[in-house]
Amino acid sequence: MPQRHLREAAADAARQTAPRGLGLDSEMVRRRMVQRLQREGLADERVLQALSTVQRHEFVDSALAIQAYEDTSLPIGHGQTISKPSVVGRMISILFGGANAGQQGRLGRVMEIGTGCGYQAAVLAELSKHVVSIERLRPLHEKAQMNLAAVRTPAQIRLVYGDGRLGYSAGAPFDSIIAAAGGEDLPPAWLAQLAPGGRLVAPMVAPGGRGQILVVVDHVLEAGVGRFVRTEHEAVLFVPLKSGVS
Ligand code: SAH
């Protein structure tokens, strides 16, 4: 029928017009990104689900939105970057290996150091009870506030402007602590604010000062006595963990 053909042609044309931003297509593009991460070894279904839910393109400048679903870090201004999805996925999967997270099947109370644009905080909020995220650069803290106000997250996110090396004692103890910037040492406040059964994952300057590695610390409680068990993992590349605010 000519009329049906016309309708089909119109529908085809509509599909072929240039996408407005990423708009309606973003779900599909995101699903493809997640499938790629899965092929590359990211296995935790909960993490894959969270990565396919959070709209990463909403956290970068519109000029970069087209690259938002590539597995790459991108500039977010002020010399900082949004983390690579594979690294966000890897670190959050490691957190799920913590005793409390393992038991609950959720990340519990989470502290993130280095909010940046707020992307990882939004992913964490899909998987936890409460997220505190600290940023030392005021313009980025404010950018994250705007970005996160525009998305709906199941868990509450508290954004804190301050030096993340000090942690956030008012919200402690945390079941999961994750740093998005790497320093020479692990700030004592992070260990002090890690709940028994909690796990911390952070990039750290490698011994000898060459490059960074991922470090994991578990707060183990045995017969009422707590101790910290530290393991070292693969090489990573993060922006430096700095002191003070700016
Ligand atoms: N979590 C972000 C990544 C941000 S990059 C994402 O979702 O992609 C790391 C951030 O850590 C930068 O914004 C940097 O300013 C911040 N940072 C570095 N040292 C810090 C500190 N001591 N306290 C809080 N934030 C810090």
Side-chain angles (χ1 to χ4, degrees):
M1 291 274 212
Q3 245 195 340
R4 221 189 83 221
H5 286 157
L6 258 181
R7 264 208 309 275
E8 279 174 3
D12 277 351
R15 275 196 293 274
Q16 281 163 21
T17 50
R20 284 165 284 143
L22 280 171
L24 296 170
D25 293 338
S26 84
E27 199 177 322
M28 201 179 69
V29 188
R30 212 158 36 250
R31 208 170 326 125
R32 256 191 248 132
M33 172 189 85
V34 168
Q35 284 165 353
R36 219 163 38 234
L37 297 179
Q38 199 170 17
R39 274 200 304 276
E40 286 162 10
L42 188 64
D44 193 309
E45 286 295 336
R46 299 162 291 196
V47 179
L48 292 166
Q49 180 59 44
L51 289 170
S52 61
T53 303
V54 179
Q55 308 203 346
R56 192 167 182 256
H57 70 274
E58 299 285 3
F59 293 84
V60 296
D61 282 355
S62 49
L64 295 173
I66 199 83
Q67 283 170 271
Y69 297 107
E70 288 169 20
D71 188 25
T72 175
S73 52
L74 294 168
I76 53 174
H78 311 278
Q80 309 302 323
T81 52
I82 181 172
S83 303
K84 271 168 82 150
S86 57
V87 174
V88 171
R90 164 79 176 135
M91 289 176 82
I92 297 179
S93 302
I94 290 177
L95 285 179
F96 269 112
N100 291 356
Q103 248 169 37
Q104 297 166 16
R106 311 269 303 158
L107 298 179
R109 295 183 62 79
V110 180
M111 173 164 73
E112 177 191 40
I113 294 93
T115 315
C117 58
Y119 170 69
Q120 182 169 266
V123 178
L124 291 164
E126 293 291 322
L127 300 163
S128 59
K129 197 163 163 193
H130 187 84
V131 180
V132 171
S133 181
I134 312 171
E135 174 57 54
R136 65 178 288 278
L137 297 179
R138 189 181 276 285
L140 285 180
H141 166 71
E142 286 169 358
K143 187 184 256 191
Q145 275 178 327
M146 274 178 45
N147 288 343
L148 288 167
V151 299
R152 291 212 308 177
T153 55
Q156 194 202 339
I157 304 178
R158 176 186 292 268
L159 295 179
V160 177
Y161 169 58
D163 182 354
R165 292 183 54 92
L166 305 175
Y168 188 69
S169 57
F174 297 100
D175 301 299
S176 306
I177 299 181
I178 182 167
E184 308 257 334
D185 61 339
L186 284 181
W190 298 358
L191 298 182
Q193 294 172 21
L194 188 62
R199 174 172 274 200
L200 170 162
V201 59
M204 254 187 86
V205 174
R210 252 178 277 134
Q212 294 171 329
I213 51 166
L214 268 190
V215 171
V216 174
V217 179
D218 286 296
H219 186 172
V220 179
L221 193 63
E222 273 165 359
V225 182
R227 64 193 171 93
F228 295 104
V229 178
R230 172 177 160 153
T231 51
E232 296 182 351
H233 298 260
E234 70 268 22
V236 284
L237 186 61
F238 280 82
V239 296
L241 179 74
K242 298 199 172 157
S243 293
V245 292
S246 177

